[in-house]
Amino acid sequence: MKVIIAEKPSVARDIALIVGAKDRKDGYMEGNGYTVTWGFGHLVGLAMPEVYGFEGFRRENLPIFPERFQLVPRQIKDGKQYKDDPGAVKQLAVIKGLFDKSESIICATDAGREGELIFRYIYHYLGCNKPFSRLWISSLTDKAIRQGMEGLKNGKEYDNLYRSAKARSEADWLVGINASQALCLSAGRGVFSLGRVQTPTLMMICNRYMENKNFTPQKYWQLQVKSGKDNISFVALSTGKYEKKDEAESNLRQIQSSGTLQVTAADRKEVSQEPPLLYDLTTLQKEANVRHSFSADKTLSIAQSLYEKKVMSYPRTGSRYISDDVFEIIPERIRLLASYPCFAAYATALDGQSLNNRSVNAAKVTDHHALLITENLPGDLSPDERTIYEMVAARMLESFSGKCVMEKTAVTLQVAGVDFSVRGSIIKVPGWRSVLNLSDEDEQENTTLPELQQGDILPINNSDVLEKQTKPRPLHTESTLLAAMETAAKELENEEERQAMKEVGIGTPATRAAIIETLFSRDYIRREKKSLVPTEKGLAVHTIVKDKKIADISMTGSWESALAKIETGETDADTFHRGIEVYAAQITTELLNTTISIASATDGPVCPKCKQGHVLFFNKIAKCSDVDCSLKIFRNICNKQLTDKQITELVTKGKTSVIKGLQGKSGKTFDAALAFDAQFNVTFSFPDKGAQSKTKKKK
C-alpha cells in the first residue's frame, strides 16, 4: 500500500481521484493500491516552555534554550490552559496507523518551505523512519498531478529545504519566546509580543508614522502660465521655486507685462516601454491593495482558493519569471482566454503572434515559477476570486505582449528671465497597455502638447502664483509596507549594511501577509482608510525597542539570507542555530535591563491574597504580578465586562457595588455585587431585600 499525505482534505480529494482512491474512510481514502490521507495545516508544532519545565514568566529562566526541541500536537486553549487539539490527535493516530502499514510514503503537502515543514514535523513526531517520495507540482490540475506522480522525487532531495524550514521555525521560537517574556517582565503589566520579523516590520510602520507626524511643512511658491498653439492649450510651471511670496509676485508682474513667452527647447523622442513582468505573490498583493483595497492576507487567501480550484498556479512564489519549457505552453493559455469574455478579443488577436520573452529566464525561477492561470477555465467564482483571477490573467496577457511605443516631449520656455517647463506624452502603439486600456500611470505629465519648435513665440493666456508646501512621505499602506519588507535595505542609513542587504528582504512572499496580520492581532497597528497606523500599544513597543537588536532590520535581513543559503546547502543549519541563540541571549539581556516607566507593576493595587505582588490589568483578565500567586479575576462574568474601576473596587474593598444586568445560564438577568470568598474566588453577593444578605459562589 502506498500512502499519500496532503496538506488538507480538499487537496487530498483531488489527488485521490487521480490515483483511483475512491473509497472514503475515517480520515483517509483508499483504492487502487493507494491510501490518501491529510493534515489540517500544522498538525504538529514546537512545544511551549511549560513542556520543558519553565512555568510562568520568570527572570531566572531566561533565556530559554531547549537542549532539544520537542514536537507536540496542535494546541487549543481550554479555560486557562492549553491542551492537545482532539481533532489533531485523532488525525495523527490515523496517519500513524497508515504509515505503519505502508509500503511507501509520498509527501504531497504544498510544494514550498512551509509545506515541507508540515510534513516533516508529522513524520518525526510519529517516529517514522521509512523512506518517502516527494510530489512537487506548481498547480493542482489533473494534468499536473498526473505528471507529478509520474515524476516523483526522492524525499532526500528536499532535506535542505526542511533544514531551512526547521531553522526558521526554531529561530522564531527562540527570539519570540525570550524577547516577549523579557519585555513583559520589564514592563510589569500588559501582554507584549516581539518577533524576529514582526518587530522590525512594526518599526517600519512606526518610524514612517513618527516621521510623518513630526514633519514640519515648508511653504514655497511657483509661477504658472497658461498658453497654447493650434487650439491646443497647456499649462507650464516655473522650474524654480520661491521661498518668499513677494519675490514670486514681483516676477509675476514682469511676466504679465511681457504678454508672451518663447520656446527655448523642444525635445521630442520615441520611447518603447517593455511589458511588466509576471506576478509573484508580493507584487500581486501590492497591486490588489492599491487597486481594490485588498489586504495582503485576503489576497493570499483568495489566491490559495484559486489554486485549490485548479485555475491558478501555486501562489506562494517569489519569482516573476518562467522557464523555457513553461513558455512553450503559454500560447495554449492565451487561446484559453479567447473563451473568457473580457479578454476574448485581445487574446484572439494575440494568438499566433510572436510573444515577448522578457519574463522567460530559468535562472531566476526559484522553487516555483511566476503566477499563471492553468489550462482550466474557472466556473463559479466569488466576486473577489474573479477579481484576483482576472488580475493574474490580464498580467499574463500583458507580459507576453508587444512593447508600448510612446512619444514623449519635454519643452522649456522663458519669459522675463524665468524658465518654465512642461512635458507631454502620447501613446502611438498601445502594445501591452491595450489589455486593460491603461494610460501611462507612471507619468504625471501626460499632457497632449501642440507641435512646438525652438524659437516659437506663444501668448500668455493666464498667469498666477501658486502657494505650495513640502509634504512628508505618506503613511505606509499594505502595498508600500510589502514593498519595504521586500526591499528592506532601502530603510538602512548605513551604506555598508545597505549594500550587504541589497538583494535581501525581511520575511518571505509566503509569510509577509501573516506577519502584517499578527501586528493587527497584537493590537499594535490599525487601519485608517488604506493607511497603517500604530496604536498606543504599538508606539509604546516602538519606544522601548527602537534602539534594540530585536528591531535591527539588517540583522533580520541577514537571517533571511542565511535561511536561503541553508536551503541551497551553502550554510550549515547548526551554525545558524548557534548564531540565533547568541542573538536571542543578547536581546533578552537588553530587554531585561531596560527600565520601562510606561507599565510599572507597582501602578496596580496590592494583591489582597499574597500581599506581595500588585494586580495587573489585561484585556481579558486581571491577575497578581507574582507568578506564584494564583489570584485571577476574569473580566467577563455572566455576560458583563468588568471595568478597571470595578476590579480595583473588588481587590481594594473586597466587594464591588451592585452590578445590574448579569445574565445567568438560563438567560435571565439578575443584579448582584461581586466579592471574594475565603480562597479569593469571585462570588456573588445579592442585595438585601429585607432579609439577611445571601452569598452564592460564582459557578
Side-chain angles (χ1 to χ4, degrees), residues 260-411:
T260 60
L261 69 166
Q262 183 179 26
V263 177
T264 55
D267 297 323
R268 183 176 285 105
K269 61 181 178 180
E270 196 171 88
V271 176
S272 294
Q273 286 187 333
E274 288 281 4
L277 294 170
L278 294 163
Y279 284 130
D280 66 356
L281 176 60
T282 301
T283 314
L284 176 66
Q285 288 170 318
K286 288 191 294 185
E287 293 199 15
N289 181 250
V290 171
R291 294 187 195 176
H292 306 291
S293 299
F294 286 5
S295 70
D297 186 61
K298 179 177 180 177
T299 299
L300 173 56
S301 176
I302 294 169
Q304 180 71 23
S305 174
L306 293 171
Y307 168 66
E308 292 173 18
K309 289 184 175 180
K310 308 184 182 187
V311 297
M312 202 171 86
S313 63
Y314 185 70
R316 292 174 172 83
T317 177
S319 176
R320 301 187 67 183
Y321 294 87
I322 60 172
S323 54
D324 294 276
D325 60 327
V326 177
F327 187 43
E328 292 175 3
I329 67 170
I330 295 302
E332 168 201 317
R333 302 296 161 86
I334 292 172
R335 282 192 291 275
L336 181 77
L337 289 176
S339 301
Y340 195 90
C342 67
F343 299 123
Y346 189 88
T348 301
L350 186 61
D351 187 20
Q353 292 188 21
S354 177
L355 300 181
N356 193 305
N357 65 354
R358 183 174 178 237
S359 293
V360 183
N361 189 333
K364 294 186 177 181
V365 176
T366 51
D367 290 338
H368 295 279
H369 58 63
L371 287 167
L372 295 172
I373 62 167
T374 69
E375 65 268 28
N376 299 330
L377 273 175
D380 291 334
L381 297 178
S382 69
D384 287 345
E385 286 175 330
R386 197 159 293 280
T387 293
I388 295 298
Y389 178 83
E390 291 180 357
M391 284 183 69
V392 174
R395 177 51 58 90
M396 189 189 78
L397 291 174
E398 290 173 339
S399 297
F400 298 111
S401 294
K403 300 175 183 178
C404 172
V405 180
M406 312 180 77
E407 183 180 85
K408 291 182 177 288
T409 307
V411 180

Side-chain angles (χ1 to χ4, degrees), residues 479-490:
S479 178
T480 63
L481 181 62
L482 286 167
M485 294 172 76
E486 190 175 30
T487 58
K490 293 180 180 179

Side-chain angles (χ1 to χ4, degrees), residues 561-630:
S561 179
L563 289 168
K565 289 178 179 177
I566 293 171
E567 190 171 326
T568 59
E570 299 172 67
T571 295
D572 178 65
D574 290 338
T575 302
F576 173 81
H577 185 90
R578 287 192 293 272
I580 282 287
E581 284 194 344
V582 171
Y583 172 69
Q586 290 172 337
I587 60 176
T588 301
T589 300
E590 271 190 336
L591 291 167
L592 286 175
N593 292 336
T594 299
T595 302
I596 302 172
S597 60
I598 60 166
S600 171
T602 57
D603 290 347
V606 173
C607 174
K609 184 174 184 180
C610 70
K611 313 293 185 186
Q612 301 295 320
H614 290 75
V615 177
L616 309 181
F617 294 80
F618 301 93
N619 289 338
K620 296 182 179 180
I621 196 173
K623 62 182 182 179
C624 182
S625 61
D626 188 333
V627 294
D628 293 320
C629 179
S630 61

Side-chain angles (χ1 to χ4, degrees), residues 43 73-74 84-94 125:
L43 280 182
R74 184 169 59 207
D84 295 346
D85 179 349
V89 171
K90 179 182 177 183
Q91 188 63 12
L92 284 168
V94 170
Y125 174 75

